[in-house]
Amino acid sequence: MRKTKGFPFRKIFSLSPKPSLTRPRPFRAYSFVPFSPLAMLDPTILMIGGIVLGIAIIERILERWGVIDLVEQFAKVMRFILPVTFYSALIYFFTTFIF
């Protein structure tokens, strides 16, 4: 027959609190900015902006050269293209960006 050995309860379970071994739970941090400004570096948005900027630069160059008739034609076309391009790019940005 085996001899059993007894331990006092206070020796096994000390009353002093030990630091817990579990990691603290992560907390959710919320940003007041709904999207990152770096998201505007989308290649499609940059390409559309570059095309519109290029047309505006060409228009200014033609105006300096004195080709006013061609500049007026550019202005008529740009009155339609600029708002359509802006709103299309805005819709594209908000539909492809994941919040």
Side-chain angles (χ1 to χ4, degrees):
M1 187 161 151
R2 285 189 183 169
K3 188 175 182 183
T4 57
K5 193 173 185 182
F7 292 101
F9 181 78
R10 293 181 191 260
K11 187 175 179 183
I12 297 173
F13 298 103
S14 65
L15 297 176
S16 63
K18 294 181 181 177
S20 69
L21 297 176
T22 60
R23 292 182 181 173
R25 291 175 38 183
F27 62 96
R28 294 186 180 196
Y30 295 99
S31 173
F32 292 109
V33 180
F35 56 87
S36 170
L38 295 177
M40 293 299 286
L41 295 178
D42 183 25
T44 306
I45 300 291
L46 290 176
M47 184 178 64
I48 291 171
I51 290 171
V52 171
L53 186 63
I55 291 173
I57 291 172
I58 290 171
E59 185 177 354
R60 292 295 171 197
I61 290 171
L62 290 174
E63 185 179 358
R64 284 187 185 174
W65 286 351
V67 190
I68 302 299
D69 295 335
L70 197 54
V71 172
E72 288 177 2
Q73 294 298 324
F74 264 108
K76 287 180 184 176
V77 171
M78 291 304 283
R79 278 189 206 131
F80 175 74
I81 289 178
L82 281 178
V84 170
T85 305
F86 172 74
Y87 288 117
S88 300
L90 194 65
I91 291 169
Y92 171 80
F93 174 72
F94 283 118
T95 55
T96 58
F97 185 71
I98 299 171
F99 287 98

